[in-house]
Amino acid sequence: MTKDSQPDLIIVGAGPAGLSAAVVAAEHGLVVTILDEFPEPGGRMLGQFHEEKGHWWVGKQIAHNLIEQCCALGVHIRCGVSVHGMWKNGHRWVIRTSDGSITAANVLLATGGAEIPQPSPGWTLPGVMSIGAAQVMTNVHFVKPGRRGLIIGVNVLAMAIARELSVSGVSIAAIVLPSQSPLSGKDALPKENVEKLLGLAHLAPSPLMRMGGRAAHSLKMAGVVTHYFPRGGIKLWDIPLKLRTTAIAINGKDRVESVTLADLNGRGEMIAGSEREEKVDFVALAGGLYPLAELASVAGCPFVYIKELGGHIPLHSEEMQTPVAGLYVAGNITGVESALVAMAQGQLAATSICRDAGLLGSQSDTKIAEAKQKVQQVRASALIQFHPGIPKAREQVYKMWAKGCDCVENN
Amino acid sequence: MERIQNHPILGRWQTPREPVAFTFNGKPMMGLKGEPIAAALLAADVRTLRRHEESGHARGLYCAIGHCMECRLSVEGKGLVRSCLTPLEEGMCISEGLQLPNEITGRKLL
Amino acid sequence: MKHPSLVICRCEEVTMEQLEEAYASGSCTSRQLKMKTRATMGACQGRVCRTLVETWIHVKNPDGPRDAELLSYRPPIRPITFGQLAKDEA
C-alpha cells in the first residue's frame, strides 16, 4: 500500500472548508487526501465575488491561495473523483470512489450545499436552470447562460448571484416572485418579501446596505407601505427587483422563449388583466440552499432539523465532531453560511482532528479555543448572511450535542 | 451563447485553452479542451441535452455541478455521463440522451 | 391559483396533482408519497426535489411532527459504472 492510498485524513469536498482544513491538518503532519467530483478544486468559491468596502472579494483568488498552500504541504487533491459510499472497516474508513477505494482513520465531510428548487410551471424546459448553474457557467466556465434572463425567487442567494451576473455582462430582465403554490408559501407574497429584505437590511452590519447601497434605502421606503411598492419594481444595482410581479409560467417549445408575468396587489392577489409575456432565453430559479449531507447519512450519523441552518444537518459538536468516531464535518454541510465561515469551520475541524489524534499535546485546549473563537468572529462579521437566526440556531445544535443523541432523528 | 473573453472581475483565462473539434448528434462543433461538455454545448447554443426517457420531453442543463443528472448524455466509448462534469476532449462523439422504449407500457420508438 | 401540472419531481415527472391524489388516498409522510408516486426516486436520488416533498407534506399537516418518516439515502450516492465497481473489487 502506498502512502497515497492510505492517508491519515480523507476530506470529501475541495471547497473553502475542505481546503482550509487540509492546510491546517497537513501543517500538523497529517497525510491528507482531498476528493472532489468537480474537475477543478475550489468548490463554489470559484464563481463567487462581491464588492466589500470598495474592493472586490474574489473567491477564485482565495481558492488559488489555499490550493497553493495545500500543494506546498504535500496535500493530494484528486478532482473528477466522485465518492459514492463509505463504510467502517475496523478502525478505518473505506471511502468508495469512482476511481477505486481509499482508507483513512479520519474523514472530514465538507460536501457543501445543494440548491432548493423553485418549481414553476414550465421549469423542465431547457434554458431553465438553478441560479447556481448560471453562476457556474458564467464565472467558472466563462460561458453566458443566455442572452437575456429572468430570475425567479427573492433571497440572499438570488441577490448575490444577480449582482455577479450583472457585473459579468449577463443581461437580467428582472428578479420576480415565484408563482403561488403550497410550496412557495410566503415566498410568493410581496409584503413578506419586503419584510424579509428589510430584515436583512436591518442586520448590523447590514449586507443589503453594503451590497445594494441606495437600493436598500429605496426598499426601506417601499416597505413602509407595502401596497405602494411600485408595480414597476425598484432597481437593485441595474437589475429591476419586482416584488409585485409574479412568474405564472415559463413558455417555449423545447427551449425557453418567454415567461408570463403578472402583477400582484399588496395582499399578493393577482391583478386581473396584468398578464404579459417577457421575452427571455433563460430563467434562473433561486430557491436557496440546503446542506448536502448524504455521506453523513450513509456513514450512520444522526440528523437534526434546524430551519435556520437550511434543513436537516448531521448532529455535530461546536468542535465539528459527529457522534460517529473518526467522522467530522465542516462548511455548509453543517448549515448554510458564507465561504468565509466555511473556511474557519474547516480550520476548526482540522484542529479537532489533530487534537483527537494526539498531535497538539499541551497546546490543544488553547488551539481549539482559538479556532472556535475565529469561527464566531467570522460569523459575526460575515457580509453575506443567509439567515438572521444563525448564531442562535448554532447554539441549539450544540445543546442537542451536549444532551446526547436521544433528541435526534435516525436516518 | 457568448463566451466571456475578458471577465470584468476575474480577468482572462490563465493559460489559453486549446480549441478542439467534437460532434454532437453527428454535427461537427468546436469547443475548448478540458471545459465541461455542457459548457461547450452551451457556447454552441445547444440547449437540449437529453430527452426524458419516458415522456421524450426536452431537457437541458439544470444544476451544472453534478447533483441533478439532468445533463446526462452519451459519449462514445464512455456511455452516459454527466456533461457538466465531464471534460471535453478532441474528437469526442457526443449524442443527446434518448427517450427509451418501454416493455411495460408497450411504447416502441421509431 | 392552482397548478395541476406543476412538476415537482423532474426525474420521474411527478406533478403536484399526483402528490395530492396520493395524499388523498392515504399517503401522509414523505416516504409514503415516494412509494406511491416515485417522487424522489429518479436519477438524482431526490437531491433536487427531496426538500420540496418534505415541505409539501409539512404544509399539508403543519401541526404534525416534522418529517415523521425521513427519506433515506442509500449508496451508491453517485452514478457509477460496473467497470468502476469491478475495478474497486479487484
Side-chain angles (χ1 to χ4, degrees):
Chain A
M1 279 289 182
T2 60
K3 204 169 121 178
D4 197 56
S5 66
Q6 293 201 313
D8 300 316
L9 170 64
I10 294 170
I11 298 174
V12 186
L19 291 171
S20 304
V23 171
V24 172
E27 278 171 350
H28 285 93
L30 291 181
V31 176
V32 183
T33 292
I34 310 182
L35 304 171
D36 196 302
E37 67 178 338
F38 202 69
E40 57 176 316
R44 299 287 62 79
M45 220 176 11
L46 291 173
Q48 295 170 354
F49 54 83
H50 61 255
E51 209 171 359
E52 200 172 347
K53 292 173 192 154
H55 78 278
W56 289 93
W57 180 93
V58 179
K60 197 172 176 174
Q61 277 167 8
I62 300 197
H64 284 171
N65 292 344
L66 287 170
I67 293 160
E68 261 177 36
Q69 289 178 56
C70 282
C71 291
L73 289 161
V75 172
H76 190 195
I77 305 178
R78 291 174 65 190
C79 285
V81 177
S82 306
V83 174
H84 61 81
M86 64 188 287
W87 59 287
K88 199 87 179 256
N89 184 10
H91 292 290
R92 289 184 79 80
W93 287 107
V94 178
I95 300 293
R96 309 203 71 186
T97 83
S98 53
D99 190 26
S101 289
I102 51 172
T103 75
N106 293 302
V107 170
L108 171 63
L109 299 178
T111 46
E115 281 188 73
I116 298 169
Q118 183 70 270
S120 306
W123 70 306
T124 57
L125 272 178
V128 183
M129 62 193 81
S130 74
I131 194 158
Q135 179 191 46
V136 166
M137 281 295 145
T138 307
N139 296 339
V140 180
H141 305 313
F142 283 22
V143 181
K144 291 185 181 178
R147 288 174 190 89
R148 187 164 188 265
L150 187 88
I151 295 174
I152 302 179
V154 179
N155 49 52
V156 176
L157 188 71
M159 297 300 175
I161 300 182
R163 168 69 161 154
E164 288 172 8
L165 292 175
S166 160
V167 167
S168 304
V170 176
S171 168
I172 303 292
I175 305 175
V176 302
L177 298 180
S179 60
Q180 283 172 48
S181 78
L183 284 166
S184 56
K186 289 180 175 174
D187 284 349
L189 299 173
K191 185 162 177 284
E192 273 69 13
N193 273 286
V194 170
E195 279 167 6
K196 186 164 70 181
L197 292 176
L198 282 173
L200 293 170
H202 283 155
L203 286 175
S206 145
L208 265 179
M209 285 296 177
R210 282 157 62 184
M211 284 164 61
R214 262 183 301 174
H217 183 69
S218 38
L219 191 64
K220 204 168 178 177
M221 296 308 290
V224 178
V225 267
T226 311
H227 55 278
Y228 288 140
F229 190 88
R231 267 170 86 169
I234 61 167
K235 287 257 175 137
L236 187 66
W237 304 292
D238 55 345
I239 307 160
L241 171 65
K242 299 192 175 183
L243 297 183
R244 284 188 52 193
T245 303
T246 180
I248 299 173
I250 305 166
N251 318 304
K253 187 187 177 295
D254 282 3
R255 64 195 294 163
V256 174
E257 290 161 24
S258 71
V259 178
T260 308
L261 301 175
D263 291 335
L264 303 172
N265 64 23
R267 289 184 300 280
E269 297 151 353
M270 228 171 77
I271 296 170
S274 67
E275 299 92 332
R276 74 270 185 191
E277 283 200 22
E278 180 83 41
K279 298 266 179 215
V280 289
D281 70 341
F282 80 96
V283 172
L285 302 173
L289 297 169
Y290 72 92
L292 187 63
E294 311 148 296
L295 276 173
S297 173
V298 170
C301 184
F303 278 60
V304 290
Y305 180 84
I306 309 277
K307 185 170 175 267
E308 293 82 354
L309 297 177
H312 298 279
I313 55 166
L315 180 66
H316 61 279
S317 70
E318 188 174 0
E319 298 166 10
M320 303 284 131
Q321 302 150 303
T322 72
V324 182
L327 185 73
Y328 300 79
V329 286
N332 275 1
I333 186 175
T334 72
V336 175
E337 292 193 73
S338 74
L340 290 175
V341 175
M343 287 165 69
Q345 286 182 318
Q347 291 164 349
L348 172 56
T351 310
S352 287
I353 292 165
C354 294
R355 190 259 323 264
D356 296 349
L359 295 173
L360 301 185
S362 60
Q363 288 182 303
S364 66
D365 288 351
T366 329
K367 287 204 168 177
I368 293 281
E370 280 170 9
K372 270 194 207 173
Q373 205 183 4
K374 189 168 173 195
V375 173
Q376 288 165 5
Q377 281 168 356
V378 174
R379 179 169 293 136
S381 61
L383 173 67
I384 294 175
Q385 298 192 356
F386 285 86
H387 199 288
I390 284 171
K392 261 192 187 162
R394 292 283 180 195
E395 287 306 318
Q396 200 187 334
V397 177
Y398 307 146
K399 268 185 201 151
M400 288 175 173
W401 170 268
K403 270 194 220 159
C405 302
D406 54 329
C407 55
V408 301
E409 307 152 352
N410 271 303
N411 196 10
Chain B
M1 297 307 150
E2 191 189 341
R3 286 186 185 274
I4 299 171
Q5 302 298 341
N6 192 2
H7 193 287
I9 303 299
L10 306 172
R12 289 179 186 279
W13 208 263
Q14 277 179 330
T15 47
R17 292 175 293 177
E18 184 191 326
V20 291
F22 68 99
T23 64
F24 181 70
N25 290 345
K27 193 179 159 198
M29 291 183 178
M30 295 299 290
L32 299 174
K33 188 178 177 179
E35 72 178 342
I37 292 170
L41 289 172
L42 179 64
D45 207 18
V46 174
R47 286 277 194 212
T48 299
L49 303 178
R50 182 178 136 248
R51 297 276 164 181
H52 189 271
E53 289 73 3
E54 280 293 319
S55 68
H57 292 148
R59 293 297 180 92
L61 181 80
Y62 176 73
C63 84
I65 54 170
H67 292 164
C68 75
M69 315 290 146
E70 285 282 15
C71 68
R72 60 192 189 269
L73 41 63
S74 177
V75 176
E76 207 175 278
K78 288 183 189 281
L80 276 183
V81 298
R82 286 173 281 175
S83 63
C84 68
L85 294 182
T86 308
L88 182 69
E89 295 163 24
E90 170 74 41
M92 272 183 164
C93 296
I94 302 166
S95 44
E96 67 180 30
L98 299 174
Q99 187 182 14
L100 300 175
N102 188 325
E103 294 283 337
I104 298 164
T105 62
R107 186 183 64 247
K108 290 190 170 58
L109 297 177
L110 298 174
Chain C
M1 213 171 57
K2 288 203 166 174
H3 297 300
S5 67
L6 179 62
V7 169
I8 297 300
C9 170
R10 297 169 61 101
C11 296
E12 297 290 315
E13 297 198 333
V14 179
T15 62
M16 196 179 277
E17 194 177 39
Q18 285 170 282
L19 292 185
E20 289 285 0
E21 281 168 14
Y23 185 78
S25 75
S27 303
C28 52
T29 67
S30 42
R31 190 177 133 77
Q32 287 164 2
L33 284 174
K34 163 181 163 174
M35 294 307 178
K36 186 84 179 177
T37 65
R38 289 195 58 83
T40 78
M41 281 181 95
C44 85
Q45 300 180 291
R47 256 181 299 279
V48 177
C49 73
R50 171 186 301 255
T51 55
L52 296 183
V53 173
E54 286 169 354
T55 304
W56 189 86
I57 202 73
H58 181 64
V59 169
K60 277 281 174 200
N61 193 5
D63 299 327
R66 169 94 211 186
D67 304 315
E69 269 190 304
L70 200 59
L71 295 174
S72 59
Y73 291 97
R74 294 209 180 86
I77 57 158
R78 286 295 183 279
I80 178 152
T81 64
F82 284 116
Q84 286 165 332
L85 271 178
K87 183 185 169 189
D88 210 15
E89 299 303 330

